[in-house]
Amino acid sequence: MAISMLPALPNSRTEPDGSAVIRVLSYNIRSMRDDEEALARVIRACEPDLVLVQEAPRFFRWRKHAARLAARTDLVMLSGGATAAGPLLLCSLRATVERTEDVLLPLTPGLHRRGFATAVVRFAGARLGVVSCHLSLQTDERYAQAGMLLDRLAAMGTPHAVAAGDINESPGGRSFGRLAGSLQDCWAVRPWGDEHTSTPADPHQRIDAIFATRGVEVLGCGVPRGLPGVTDPDLRAASDHLPVLAALRVPAS
């Protein structure tokens, strides 16, 4: 199927006032069980400064798999992976890392363990908290985890933060609404590209999202179908989710 070219999304840059324009990519990569070359091509074409991954490899030689993905996309591993129960952070060399922390959430018997991969990074004069998440399939647990995510962002000690991941719920749900009530839902603020993230073969629902705290300017956000270098065959082959890309202007701290 032909894909029309998207309008340009702002490139990464540092502004004269010390603020920074950054590209943030959120992507559920299904434990890299699909076409790794297609996955790497999609990520490289998005030219991200930060990649907030969900369902990173968690078992045998998981660090080796994550390091291979970072190398193929010209990025470095920041935090997460098995130690965060799946969420992973990658970053470009443009980022200066202040600290990282992997957080395991309370385990509900019979359900999967969930966690957050978190970091505080700087881009020139802009300081940013970062959290990658993958919320529960179970309604009540998911709602509680949304609250834990908001608490984590508030406790990071940064004036600005971004959180992204697989919410496992559409915007009409109460957990998604809990996040959007306190944070900016970047797609809703400045839609760019496509909206729906699941599934690549039949996109019909938006269950993956990027959120930002107030004060971060959203310059555009959406599924990068039609971005130069991002092809429909690669998107279908790379994972069972579509990625979400945002350009954000983070004020100087």
Side-chain angles (χ1 to χ4, degrees):
M1 181 174 62
I3 303 176
S4 59
M5 289 296 104
L6 284 170
L9 193 69
N11 292 322
S12 303
R13 64 180 184 271
T14 301
E15 305 284 21
D17 62 359
S19 64
V21 174
I22 65 170
R23 286 186 172 214
V24 177
L25 185 70
S26 180
Y27 210 165
N28 183 321
I29 63 171
R30 206 164 78 121
S31 299
M32 294 172 63
R33 294 201 300 262
D34 300 292
D35 187 330
E36 291 187 25
E37 291 299 331
L39 176 66
R41 285 193 294 268
V42 171
I43 293 175
R44 284 197 306 268
C46 291
E47 300 181 312
D49 297 293
L50 293 168
V51 183
L52 286 67
V53 171
Q54 302 83 49
E55 291 194 32
R58 293 184 294 133
F59 300 109
F60 183 65
R61 294 183 176 175
W62 67 269
R63 288 184 177 86
K64 180 179 179 180
H65 294 305
R68 185 171 69 245
L69 178 63
R72 288 179 174 178
T73 55
D74 302 320
L75 299 167
V76 296
M77 290 177 58
L78 186 52
S79 70
T83 48
L88 171 74
L89 298 177
L90 306 176
C91 69
S92 72
L93 293 177
R94 186 173 175 235
T96 299
V97 182
E98 288 192 6
R99 67 177 188 270
T100 65
E101 183 179 3
D102 299 331
V103 179
L104 291 176
L105 302 182
L107 175 62
T108 301
L111 298 179
H112 289 296
R113 192 67 183 257
R114 304 284 177 172
F116 301 146
T118 80
V120 175
V121 298
R122 285 186 290 109
F123 296 92
R127 190 165 175 258
L128 187 71
V130 186
V131 180
S132 178
C133 67
H134 187 181
L135 302 190
S136 176
L137 288 166
Q138 200 277 332
T139 302
D140 292 337
E141 185 181 49
R142 182 167 62 243
Y143 186 76
Q145 289 170 353
M148 295 174 199
L149 175 57
L150 294 174
D151 290 342
R152 172 61 51 171
L153 291 173
M156 295 191 79
T158 58
H160 308 293
V162 61
D166 182 348
I167 310 303
N168 267 321
E169 186 176 272
S170 298
R174 65 184 188 126
S175 299
F176 200 113
R178 186 174 193 177
L179 296 173
S182 297
L183 305 168
Q184 299 183 85
D185 173 5
C186 294
W187 159 262
V189 172
R190 188 66 65 86
W192 169 91
D194 287 353
E195 176 182 6
H196 297 144
T197 62
S198 177
T199 60
D202 177 28
H204 63 280
Q205 58 182 345
R206 182 162 73 98
I207 61 173
D208 305 83
I210 297 176
F211 297 93
T213 54
R214 313 295 178 187
V216 174
E217 183 182 358
V218 181
L219 304 175
C221 178
V223 175
R225 293 182 74 248
L227 190 74
V230 177
T231 69
D232 194 59
D234 276 352
L235 289 172
R236 288 172 181 253
S239 177
D240 63 344
H241 285 243
L242 292 170
V244 183
L245 177 64
L248 308 173
R249 180 180 286 110
V250 184
S253 301

